[in-house]
Every structure is written in C-alpha cells, then in structure tokens.
Amino acid sequence: KEADRKKTDKSFFVSKEEIVENDLNIVPNWQEGLAMYKELWDMTAHGMRINAISFLTCGINIFASAFFTALGSGGISLLISFTRTFVLQMIAVILLPVFWGLNGVWSALIVSESVTLFLSVFFLLWNFLQAQLIFFQKLLTIICIRNRTSQIL
C-alpha cells in the first residue's frame, strides 16, 4: 500500500528538481522548434506589423468612449465601444479575407478602428458644437438681460 501511495503521489506532484531538469532539457530544443515553424513565424511577424497600425486610432476611440461615459452619455459610449469591439470587427473578419486573403484577417482591426474613429470624431464634434451652442445661448441671454436693465435705468 505504501508503494502504491508513493506511486500515486509521484504522478500528481512534481518536484522542483524535476521541473528544473525538464526545463533545462527543453531549452536547447526550442530553437529547433522555431526553425521548423519559420513560415508560421514569418506569417505572424507580418500580421503583427499590419495589426500594429490600428494602435494609431485605437487610443482616440478609447478616449471618446471614456469621455462620453464621464459626461453621463452612456448610450454614445456603448455605441462607440460595441461598434469598435464587436460589430465592425465581425463584419471585417467576414468580408476582408474574401478580397485580401490572410492579410484581410489581419487588417480587420484596422478597418474597424478606422470606421469607429469617424463615429467617435462625429460624436465629439457634435458634443463640442452642442456645448458651444449652449454657451452662446447663455451669453446672449446675459447680454439681453444687461441691455434690458440698462434701458430701465
């Protein structure tokens, strides 16, 4: 029974020495593994270069979503976030590979972020113009009140 227990314990638990020994045996072989998958490595590096372009617009979209959340406009924030992370990416992943193959899959994030950028800029400008309109309405109200009081005096 004692031998069976040790055998069972050994199959479930690995000692530190065995982990270090196995890791040291694997290290020389990982370079051989990469050499076998050079085509996959090259394809991934190419895809990451394409995908990295999306980071240029990603920050503006995240800022716009956070901005509208802070203003209490949760609907606009939800629209921006949901559009950039789900709707447009799904459409792009389905349509772009038809035209561009594997580069279309890698470019899906760029397309979804770029289209969402237009949506974000539209809402940011709309909010800015709305704030300017409110500002000028208040300014005109103040001017009219001052003119009335000066006419009364």
Side-chain angles (χ1 to χ4, degrees):
K1 289 184 180 182
E2 186 68 28
D4 290 337
R5 201 181 95 207
K6 285 184 180 180
K7 186 178 179 183
T8 307
D9 288 346
K10 191 137 180 101
S11 64
F12 287 116
F13 300 105
V14 180
S15 68
K16 293 177 191 176
E17 293 80 19
E18 289 174 330
I19 292 172
V20 171
E21 182 181 317
N22 288 336
D23 286 345
L24 291 176
N25 289 334
I26 292 172
V27 170
N29 297 333
W30 72 271
Q31 291 174 337
E32 293 173 14
L34 287 181
M36 288 175 22
Y37 298 107
K38 178 153 178 36
E39 182 181 347
L40 178 62
W41 182 267
D42 293 340
M43 189 178 3
T44 304
H46 175 71
M48 292 308 291
R49 285 186 198 101
I50 293 172
N51 203 3
I53 297 169
S54 69
F55 294 137
L56 297 172
T57 58
C58 183
I60 297 169
N61 293 331
I62 292 171
F63 167 77
S65 179
F67 177 76
F68 286 111
T69 300
L71 290 181
S73 301
I76 296 173
S77 176
L78 176 69
L79 180 67
I80 292 171
S81 294
F82 193 68
T83 300
R84 70 177 278 268
T85 58
F86 185 72
V87 176
L88 291 175
Q89 281 187 18
M90 292 301 257
I91 293 169
V93 165
I94 292 169
L95 293 180
L96 292 180
V98 173
F99 303 108
W100 296 340
L102 185 60
N103 286 340
V105 175
W106 289 112
S107 301
L109 189 60
I110 297 170
V111 171
S112 67
E113 290 288 345
S114 298
V115 173
T116 306
L117 177 68
F118 290 114
L119 185 68
S120 297
V121 168
F122 169 77
F123 281 121
L124 286 169
L125 287 175
W126 177 70
N127 185 59
F128 174 75
L129 293 174
Q130 191 177 24
Q132 291 299 317
L133 180 64
I134 292 170
F135 171 76
F136 284 119
Q137 285 175 344
K138 289 182 179 181
L139 184 65
L140 287 174
T141 304
I142 292 171
I143 291 171
C144 289
I145 291 171
R146 285 187 182 169
N147 285 342
R148 286 184 200 155
T149 56
S150 65
Q151 290 174 358
I152 295 173
L153 297 175

